[in-house]
Amino acid sequence: LPGKDMRRITNALAWLMMSKGTPIIYQGTETFFEEIRESLWNTGYDQNSPGFHLIKRLNMIRSRINADAPQSIINLSPHGEPNNHDKLGILRGDPRKPTVVVLLNNIADGDDSESAEFCYQPPHPPHGFMWEDGLTGSVPRKNSNGCILGKDPIILILQRQKWHSHRRRSRLGGFKAEVERVAASMPSIDQSITS
C-alpha cells in the first residue's frame, strides 16, 4: 500500500468486497502493512486497526448479499451524460429492488475539493425500512438537488427504521397530556385541606 492514500484504498476495498465474485485480499491489507509481510503470529495481529474494522464491516454487509445476485453499473451523472472516471455506482440484486447500492469515488486524500455527487435515487424502500449507509450507520447526506454526497465509499443497505425522537416525543406528549388531564380532575391541595 505505497503512499497510503487511505481514501482510495477504502474505495478500492469497498469495490473489491461488494463486487460479484470472490474477493482476494493480500495478507496484511487489513492492518495496512507496507513492509515485507512477516507472519502475523510473530508480529502481532492488530484487531484495532481501521483497516481491520473496515474489512470486518464490509464482510458483514457482503454476507447479506446473495452470492448469485446480479450486479449492474448505474449512471451517476445528473443529466444522464456518460459516466466520468471519478465515480462508480454498483447495484447488487434486481435493479428494481436492489439489496445493496455501492457508491464509489476516486477522490484522493488531501483533496479538499467538494464531495462527489452521486445523482442516483435508490428505489423507494418497503414500508418500515430505510436506506442507510452500512459503513457509517447514518442516512446519507444529500444536496439541494437530492444527489448523495460523499468522499468515502457509501454502501446503502436496507435497514428497519429506527426509533426516532419525534415518535418518542409524540408518545411522551400523549402521556404528558393524560397526566395533565388526570391532574386537572383531582382536587388541588388547597381544596383538599379546606374540605
Side-chain angles (χ1 to χ4, degrees):
L1 304 173
K4 272 196 175 180
D5 186 335
M6 296 309 294
R7 184 168 290 133
R8 286 184 173 161
I9 291 169
T10 302
N11 275 279
L13 285 171
W15 174 80
L16 177 69
M17 293 294 289
M18 296 297 111
S19 292
K20 191 171 182 175
T22 304
I24 298 173
I25 299 174
Y26 195 67
Q27 175 191 336
T29 301
E30 71 282 357
T31 56
F32 297 133
F33 278 173
E34 286 186 6
E35 62 276 354
I36 296 174
R37 286 151 172 70
E38 297 180 23
S39 61
L40 292 175
W41 55 90
N42 289 338
T43 60
Y45 189 71
D46 184 6
Q47 293 185 359
N48 295 317
S49 75
F52 178 86
H53 287 287
L54 171 66
I55 292 174
K56 181 179 178 181
R57 186 72 183 147
L58 289 168
N59 203 34
M60 287 171 45
I61 296 168
R62 183 179 173 76
S63 69
R64 296 175 58 167
I65 303 171
N66 178 347
D68 295 329
Q71 173 177 311
S72 53
I73 304 297
I74 53 178
N75 189 344
L76 300 171
S77 300
H79 304 293
E81 61 266 11
N83 281 327
N84 63 34
H85 298 289
D86 294 329
K87 297 181 281 189
L88 176 65
I90 302 170
L91 294 180
R92 290 299 308 271
D94 181 345
R96 294 174 309 255
K97 296 180 182 178
T99 310
V100 175
V101 178
V102 183
L103 304 173
L104 307 170
N105 67 73
N106 199 21
I107 299 174
D109 271 347
D111 185 346
D112 294 330
S113 64
E114 294 182 20
S115 298
E117 284 187 346
F118 301 101
C119 295
Y120 167 78
Q121 294 298 319
H124 189 72
H127 179 71
F129 285 82
M130 60 186 264
W131 287 103
E132 178 180 280
D133 185 343
L135 294 177
T136 64
S138 62
V139 176
R141 192 171 53 101
K142 294 183 178 184
N143 65 12
S144 59
N145 296 329
C147 297
I148 298 170
L149 302 173
K151 289 186 178 182
D152 295 316
I154 299 168
I155 302 175
L156 300 177
I157 58 175
L158 282 173
Q159 291 285 81
R160 290 204 178 277
Q161 285 186 334
K162 296 177 181 160
W163 183 264
H164 294 290
S165 59
H166 70 276
R167 288 184 184 162
R168 188 178 308 123
R169 275 195 303 263
S170 66
R171 288 187 180 182
L172 287 177
F175 176 73
K176 183 178 177 187
E178 180 66 16
V179 168
E180 289 172 355
R181 187 188 66 73
V182 170
S185 67
M186 297 174 70
S188 69
I189 294 177
D190 293 337
Q191 288 175 340
S192 59
I193 292 174
T194 57
S195 30

